[in-house]
Amino acid sequence: MNPTASVFGAVHLGYLVIETNRFADWRRFGTDAIGMHRDDLDAGLMRFRLDDQECRFLLRRGPAEDVVVTGWHLDDHSTFEQIEARIRAHGVPLVEGTAEEAALRGVERLLRFPGPKGITQEIYTTAVKSAEPLRMLASGFVTGDSGMGHIAITSTKPAHLRGYFNTVFDARLTDSIDETISGVKLKIRFLRVNERHHSIAIAAVRGLPIDPVRTRVQHLNIQAATLDDVARSYQRVHELGFDMALSIGQHTNDKELSYYARTPSGFEWEVGWNPIVIDETTWQPTTHQGISIWGHTPVGQTIIDKLDQFRLGARSLAHPETTVPALSGAGIPED
């Protein structure tokens, strides 16, 4: 085993753990609006499925109203041991998950270690498959070799986040986007760990060390199997009275057609369709101007919402962002 050999391509976003006290709203949002399969485990635990894996989203009771854990599916034990060796070599502690924790996540075994912005990172090799047929409004979701979607994080230290995911997973820069929203200039970097255009997006305010988002994760993404699934879930989100953050549109870089709903916990949930798949033999990173070719217009945003964002940004100045210096190193500066 060589800890320095690349693990790129053997890493896939596998599950997320969300901490919330808004279980009734999440049941309606996940099941009736987005259209996923739901399993109620007890009063304080709920799971959503997208495919035959027992768990893609684990919701547990707690005050965070946020994503608190990111789970990464690794292809084999060799990759698992390789990443474990890397983290230990950098002096970062790893903790083996209990049998109960592994069972709740639908995996056979897991290791956890600290991640940026206080989001715990977990790795596993074997997912438990469910024999129970899916009961969901959507026709299906795209997972497989690309993983189950992506997460987007706002950061005051984007170079350190890139350094972290490069050290741990050999993440590669796919491309970048320059965007101005409400007069604020953003730089968004898109990192891939397999053929999916990106599994991690990192957004930063250019020239200002502020974070205008309350939650650790700005949004998460799942990929619908059909365009019809996107349209129908969009309609259900509206009909059930959930907030829509961005209307249907198409992105400039990955060409995914999608919309963004606001979850009961406050972060956004993107449902997308048909993003491009990266060809490693020909791909070259570029910078795009603007996040969308068309659409993705803000829905129902008021001046109060904008003022709240400025307040959050100012508040972030007094609370330094959590990093993992041992794994981030000096970071990878802007290209």
Side-chain angles (χ1 to χ4, degrees):
M1 180 192 65
N2 179 5
T4 62
S6 179
V7 298
F8 180 86
V11 180
H12 322 274
L13 183 60
Y15 61 76
L16 297 173
V17 180
I18 297 167
E19 188 174 282
T20 179
N21 282 317
R22 298 169 181 165
F23 266 49
D25 290 337
W26 267 103
R27 284 189 189 96
R28 291 178 60 246
F29 181 81
T31 312
D32 302 329
I34 303 302
M36 298 181 290
H37 173 107
R38 186 185 85 244
D39 290 311
D40 294 310
L41 305 185
D42 63 32
L45 292 167
M46 176 169 60
R47 297 196 298 205
F48 291 114
R49 286 173 55 198
L50 302 175
D51 52 16
D52 62 353
Q53 188 165 319
E54 268 195 351
C55 176
R56 289 297 189 176
F57 298 96
L58 172 65
L59 277 68
R60 69 187 190 203
R61 285 206 183 274
E65 299 301 340
D66 209 341
V67 173
V68 293
V69 176
T70 306
W72 299 93
H73 189 181
L74 310 180
D75 278 352
D76 48 47
H77 292 291
S78 175
T79 304
F80 187 96
E81 291 167 0
Q82 204 170 327
I83 292 174
E84 179 183 3
R86 282 184 189 183
I87 295 165
R88 292 194 190 283
H90 284 82
V92 175
L94 291 107
V95 176
E96 183 151 6
T98 65
E100 180 185 14
E101 288 170 334
L104 287 174
R105 290 154 173 75
V107 301
E108 289 190 359
R109 176 196 173 213
L110 67 96
L111 281 180
R112 70 165 53 90
F113 50 97
K117 294 198 74 171
I119 304 171
T120 298
Q121 305 294 303
E122 297 178 348
I123 55 174
Y124 68 98
T125 58
T126 307
V128 178
K129 302 298 177 66
S130 175
E132 183 182 351
L134 287 164
R135 305 182 309 276
M136 58 188 189
L137 296 176
S139 70
F141 295 95
V142 179
T143 54
D145 289 342
S146 297
M148 65 173 233
H150 68 250
I151 58 170
I153 303 171
T154 54
S155 176
T156 60
K157 299 179 179 179
H160 290 84
L161 261 72
R162 275 193 66 189
Y164 179 96
F165 288 110
N166 178 70
T167 298
V168 178
F169 296 134
D170 295 307
R172 299 177 182 177
L173 178 70
T174 301
D175 49 36
S176 303
I177 288 178
D178 291 333
E179 177 65 283
T180 301
I181 300 175
S182 301
V184 177
K185 293 183 178 181
L186 297 174
K187 181 79 170 184
I188 312 170
R189 300 163 181 83
F190 298 83
L191 307 182
R192 68 187 187 278
V193 291
N194 55 52
E195 64 184 13
R196 186 178 286 278
H197 178 276
H198 61 285
S199 293
I200 306 144
I202 303 166
V205 177
R206 300 196 72 155
L208 290 173
I210 63 171
D211 185 346
V213 176
R214 175 193 68 80
T215 51
R216 300 168 194 172
V217 167
Q218 188 274 329
H219 79 261
L220 60 85
N221 161 285
I222 57 174
Q223 184 181 338
T226 70
L227 181 56
D228 188 59
D229 284 323
V230 175
R232 288 181 182 274
S233 63
Y234 183 83
Q235 182 178 16
R236 292 193 300 266
V237 168
H238 272 298
E239 291 176 346
L240 290 168
F242 290 104
D243 289 340
M244 189 68 67
L246 298 176
S247 66
I248 290 179
Q250 187 176 27
H251 287 302
T252 52
N253 57 346
D254 66 1
K255 304 300 187 287
E256 187 169 25
L257 188 146
S258 69
Y259 70 86
Y260 295 73
R262 190 164 286 109
T263 68
S265 293
F267 58 86
E268 294 173 14
W269 188 294
E270 182 185 18
V271 178
W273 172 75
N274 200 34
I276 61 175
V277 175
I278 298 299
D279 180 350
E280 295 296 332
T281 63
T282 60
W283 189 264
Q284 292 293 326
T286 54
T287 298
H288 300 262
Q289 300 302 313
I291 63 170
S292 303
I293 300 169
W294 59 270
H296 287 146
T297 54
V299 178
Q301 189 177 43
T302 67
I303 188 65
I304 294 173
D305 297 322
K306 292 181 181 180
L307 287 172
D308 281 343
Q309 284 193 321
F310 284 118
R311 289 192 195 101
L312 286 167
R315 195 178 306 160
S316 72
L317 291 170
H319 301 282
E321 183 176 320
T322 302
T323 62
V324 186
L327 292 172
S328 302
I332 300 177
E334 184 176 309
D335 294 271

